[in-house]
Amino acid sequence: MNTLANKVALITGGASGIGRATAILFAQEGAAVVLADINVEQGQSVVAEVEAAGGKAIFFLCNVARADDCRAAVEKTIAAFGGLHILFNNAGIIRRADVLGTTEEEWDRVMAVNVKSVFLMSKYAIPHMEKAGGGSIINTSSGWGMRGGGNAVSYCASKGAVTNMTRAMAIDHGAQNIRVNAVCPGDTDTPMLRSEARQLGQDEESFMAEAAKRPLRRYAQPLEIAQAVLYLASDTASYVTGAALVIDGGGLA
Ligand code: NAI
């Protein structure tokens, strides 16, 4: 239970879904966890949950699409815990529409929250990891960062970018012992997934039943993605960098 002892982890989108499950798991494994999210109420409730279980966590209001917010989140992390070893770039949004149904504003917003955020947070975090002698960055991509999907053009573009920038960053920062990897979840039971049914005008139950159609015959629970993130964050993955780890119940297979 101390895989991440003495580590400091910054998690974007930590107030909900996959980010929340990862925050709780990281804290159980001994990390001091910083949650950066725009949802204050839920962020603080995750902090309370971690603390009630004896873990260490703090929340910062941070819009990951804004450079000032990202810089402040990294600086406040260093001020609070004295270092930064793990960065989980996980905040994300989805817009379920094709090119014709997507406005320019929606396109820009999806690209800013899903892609620019990874650039910004990494830009401010990497110098601290270098100082510490290394670190681990995990970016949340998607199965749709490996192949296309219908009615999700901005999202597919954003996740394809996340997968490939992960590889580029792994090449650039390997010499500083900074590992950079992506997780590519398949459908996972979070508020985001359920919001897709509403966006597509579908009944939630049949949408979720469709999401379960894959070799393992079910969609994922957030903890199942968090466990893969823990692996990539930990020293167990000491020789893993530039990887895109698919966790999707066999969907892409
Ligand atoms: P979620 O909606 O439960 O959580 C996303 C979190 O990101 C929320 O707490 C939200 O407040 C936060 N967020 C949104 N915009 C933000 C911003 N501008 N600044 C800071 N925080 C912001 O969704 P979920 O499913 O946990 O998503 C996490 C990641 O997993 C996303 O990158 C998503 O694209 C990815 N993913 C999810 C899949 C799924 O089926 N749920 C499948 C594949 C990838």
Side-chain angles (χ1 to χ4, degrees):
M1 298 292 276
N2 59 1
T3 312
L4 302 182
N6 304 316
K7 303 280 191 200
V8 179
L10 173 51
I11 300 178
T12 71
S16 176
I18 293 167
R20 172 184 170 275
T22 306
I24 292 167
L25 183 62
F26 275 16
Q28 281 169 359
E29 292 293 338
V33 176
V34 177
L35 308 173
D37 203 298
I38 47 175
N39 190 327
V40 179
E41 200 179 316
Q42 277 185 219
Q44 282 168 348
S45 107
V46 177
V47 168
E49 232 178 306
V50 167
E51 286 176 343
K56 249 193 256 173
I58 50 176
F59 171 83
F60 295 132
L61 175 62
C62 170
N63 178 349
V64 293
R66 296 182 43 143
D68 287 351
D69 283 21
C70 293
R71 189 189 296 114
V74 170
E75 280 170 7
K76 288 187 211 163
T77 299
I78 303 295
F81 293 125
L84 174 56
H85 312 101
I86 299 158
L87 171 62
F88 183 29
N89 286 313
N90 165 74
I93 54 172
I94 193 164
R95 167 77 186 131
R96 292 302 307 262
D98 65 8
V99 165
L100 302 180
T102 304
T103 66
E104 186 180 358
E105 288 70 30
E106 287 166 345
W107 173 273
D108 286 345
R109 184 159 165 66
V110 169
M111 294 304 280
V113 175
N114 293 7
V115 186
K116 190 178 173 189
S117 62
V118 178
F119 159 69
L120 290 172
M121 292 297 308
S122 303
K123 187 175 187 63
Y124 301 121
I126 285 171
H128 295 286
M129 292 182 171
E130 279 181 357
K131 250 187 253 164
S136 174
I137 299 176
I138 305 101
N139 300 324
T140 304
S141 180
S142 167
W144 284 358
M146 307 296 271
R147 53 155 278 213
N151 286 308
V153 70
S154 54
Y155 186 81
C156 291
S158 74
K159 294 302 185 178
V162 170
T163 302
N164 213 30
M165 77 187 281
T166 298
R167 299 182 183 118
M169 288 168 62
I171 292 167
D172 287 338
H173 304 290
Q176 292 88 46
N177 193 33
I178 298 169
R179 298 183 297 102
V180 188
N181 294 288
V183 284
C184 302
D187 288 338
T188 305
D189 192 4
T190 69
M192 175 192 281
L193 183 65
R194 289 175 182 271
S195 83
E196 292 178 48
R198 291 192 291 281
Q199 290 190 41
L200 292 165
Q202 290 178 14
D203 157 64
E204 191 174 299
E205 207 174 311
S206 32
F207 178 83
M208 294 304 282
E210 205 52 42
K213 286 188 183 158
R214 53 190 68 236
L216 287 184
R217 266 80 174 168
R218 61 184 181 84
Y219 41 81
Q221 292 304 318
L223 178 60
E224 296 180 291
I225 312 303
Q227 278 156 342
V229 181
L230 172 63
Y231 163 67
L232 291 170
S234 74
D235 292 340
T236 313
S238 56
Y239 200 58
V240 183
T241 195
L245 179 54
V246 176
I247 310 120
D248 72 343
L252 279 183

